[in-house]
Amino acid sequence: MSDNQFAPLQNDRFLRALLRQPVDRTPMWMMRQAGRYLPEYRATRAKAGTFMDLCRNTELACEVTLQPLERYPLDAAILFSDILTIPDAMGLGLYFEEGEGPKFKKPVRTSADIAALEVVNTAKDLDYVTNAVTAIRRELNGRVPLIGFSGSPWTLATYMIEGGSSRDFARAKEMLYNRPEDMHQLLSVLADSVIDYLNAQIRAGAQAVQIFDTWGGALSHTAYREFSLAYMARIVQGLIKENDGRQVPVILFTKGGGQWLEAMADTGADALGLDWTTDIAQARARVGGKVALQGNMDPSILLAKPERIREEVASILASYGRGSGHIFNLGHGVTPKVDPAHAGAMFDAVVELSPQYHD
Ligand code: CP3
């Protein structure tokens, strides 16, 4: 499917900055921008039923994707979905326990469990996601680009093995060290699934994609390369590079990955997401000639007063310095207790303070 079925893009500063092309001001969006900190999200979510009901309802998924754009002058929308749709489609039975986060009815533990897994067929089992992508693109009507996303194989594997969230990843790490061939088999099926899933999102209308490697930072220096980065590199190589005459940039985000930026940039990704533990000026000096950088305000700053938020925005913009290649964002997702007005103060500060860094 070609996407000239969609209206021309009116604001492309996000896509331009990802490719380090000149922009008038620093583009911005926020991880988890459609979420529980917004009262309008909570209202739509209540109407939909469970979180997965909301993801599967094209019209309501489209509605919540656009909600933050009604409030803030954002430069990108992100598909409303979840990274755990892939293991759900593999038959693990995803559900959400109130206050406890995601859970799987059938975690993957034994060699036989892993051998039985098949690469997902996005067209067949995840068409609710690609349908949402196309509906959102239509509804956006060219206002801003749409970001598609997936979890990294390692991050998905941790949830599949642990059966949910974990503090120490004991089971996943035990498998990694005792049965590396099982772990590689699992990661390999996941990498092929992510390639199919992201390419389907791109064909359906996603104009950039982000890989969330939320738990890559829990790995040792050598394990990170072998068990997380290698599979993300395989994904970057397998993605559609261009759609409807425009490059589709890829953003790699390893939370806690600040020490591995050079290796991450070598994957061929166009941009790297930074969490708040990395100095963005130093990151730019290390890899800024090769990739754009996205980030990296501590989400907790949004709990502070608006004047403090503005100071922090000013400091991050100054730290990156002059020129393109920076996409302002948080260093991880916005949390449910944040006052929407505080997110507004952050975005206003980017709009007011960032033009001085561009020609
Ligand atoms: O950024 C966006 O606005 C797009 C939507 C998005 C969601 N999840 C919506 C969501 C994205 C990009 C994700 C990714 C995701 N999901 C990640 C990687 C990103 C990260 O934060 O590091 C992970 C680890 C997950 C798994 C997951 N899904 C968790 C840990 C939770 C929270 C569970 C809880 O109860 O706190 C979810 C659920 C989820 N995904 C919600 C939203 C808005 C909240 C669900 C609700 O409405 O109750």
Side-chain angles (χ1 to χ4, degrees):
M1 199 193 307
S2 152
D3 64 358
N4 38 29
Q5 56 171 317
F6 303 118
L9 191 55
Q10 292 148 32
N11 169 357
D12 67 352
R13 58 168 80 85
F14 170 67
L15 295 180
R16 293 181 59 82
L18 285 171
L19 301 176
R20 291 171 296 138
Q21 296 164 353
V23 287
D24 57 338
R25 68 158 171 84
T26 306
M28 60 196 187
W29 67 283
M30 174 168 77
M31 288 189 272
R32 291 278 178 99
Q33 65 190 20
R36 282 173 296 190
Y37 75 107
L38 291 178
E40 59 270 33
Y41 169 83
R42 295 195 298 268
T44 309
R45 162 83 152 73
K47 207 162 57 172
T50 68
F51 170 69
M52 284 311 287
D53 290 337
L54 178 52
C55 292
R56 287 201 172 89
N57 184 320
T58 309
E59 195 187 323
L60 296 184
C62 191
E63 184 179 302
V64 293
T65 301
L66 270 74
Q67 284 170 347
L69 286 118
E70 300 304 324
R71 278 189 187 252
Y72 313 118
L74 295 164
D75 298 297
I78 179 161
L79 161 70
F80 188 81
S81 189
D82 199 79
I83 64 165
L84 301 177
T85 51
I86 286 182
D88 187 50
M90 287 176 161
L92 273 67
L94 174 66
Y95 66 102
F96 285 83
E97 202 86 85
E98 212 54 63
E100 282 185 60
K103 292 244 185 323
F104 287 112
K105 290 196 188 105
K106 288 192 275 179
V108 167
R109 300 266 161 84
T110 66
S111 304
D113 290 342
I114 290 170
L117 293 174
E118 284 175 29
V119 174
V120 294
N121 180 339
T122 302
K124 185 167 148 281
D125 298 318
L126 290 161
D127 60 331
Y128 67 93
V129 177
T130 47
N131 289 342
V133 169
T134 303
I136 296 162
R137 265 302 291 276
R138 254 188 226 124
E139 198 70 25
L140 280 171
N141 200 24
R143 268 166 78 181
V144 294
L146 176 63
I147 306 166
F149 71 89
S150 167
S152 73
W154 162 250
T155 293
L156 294 176
T158 64
Y159 287 96
M160 293 169 74
I161 297 164
E162 303 291 340
S165 304
S166 169
R167 282 162 65 96
D168 53 8
F169 310 103
R171 285 191 170 96
K173 288 196 171 183
E174 191 269 333
M175 186 188 295
L176 183 155
Y177 288 115
N178 270 340
R179 291 152 46 209
E181 46 319 311
D182 277 350
M183 184 57 93
H184 279 302
Q185 170 63 21
L186 173 56
L187 295 169
S188 178
V189 171
L190 285 169
D192 290 343
S193 299
V194 170
I195 291 170
D196 187 69
Y197 187 54
L198 287 179
N199 280 339
Q201 290 183 33
I202 292 167
R203 284 191 208 97
Q207 291 148 294
V209 294
Q210 173 155 327
I211 301 171
F212 285 89
D213 186 30
T214 308
W215 304 122
L219 288 167
S220 77
H221 190 68
T222 48
Y224 174 72
R225 285 161 201 265
E226 183 180 343
F227 294 94
S228 186
L229 191 66
Y231 291 92
M232 295 199 287
R234 185 159 131 193
I235 293 164
V236 173
Q237 296 312 313
L239 293 181
I240 296 169
K241 297 283 172 292
E242 198 182 294
N243 196 33
D244 202 33
R246 203 156 180 153
Q247 196 176 328
V248 183
V250 184
I251 309 161
L252 223 58
F253 171 59
T254 291
K255 184 161 171 280
Q259 60 174 327
W260 302 313
L261 299 179
E262 289 82 359
M264 291 171 74
D266 284 341
T267 59
D270 301 286
L272 304 182
L274 302 177
D275 70 29
W276 60 94
T277 62
T278 297
D279 179 320
I280 197 168
Q282 285 177 20
R284 186 181 189 185
R286 287 162 57 196
V287 294
K290 218 165 172 175
V291 288
L293 296 171
Q294 176 175 280
N296 68 339
M297 196 173 97
D298 181 349
S300 304
I301 300 282
L302 292 180
L303 302 170
K305 52 186 194 272
E307 307 84 84
R308 187 67 194 82
I309 294 169
R310 191 180 165 90
E311 275 173 31
E312 199 67 20
V313 170
S315 147
I316 290 168
L317 291 172
S319 179
Y320 185 85
R322 287 195 62 77
S324 189
H326 179 208
I327 299 93
F328 191 92
N329 204 318
L330 298 176
H332 198 203
V334 60
T335 52
K337 290 207 170 74
V338 164
D339 179 344
H342 286 207
M346 172 180 79
F347 293 129
D348 287 348
V350 176
V351 170
E352 284 167 37
L353 301 172
S354 73
Q356 62 185 303
Y357 297 101
H358 303 276
D359 293 319

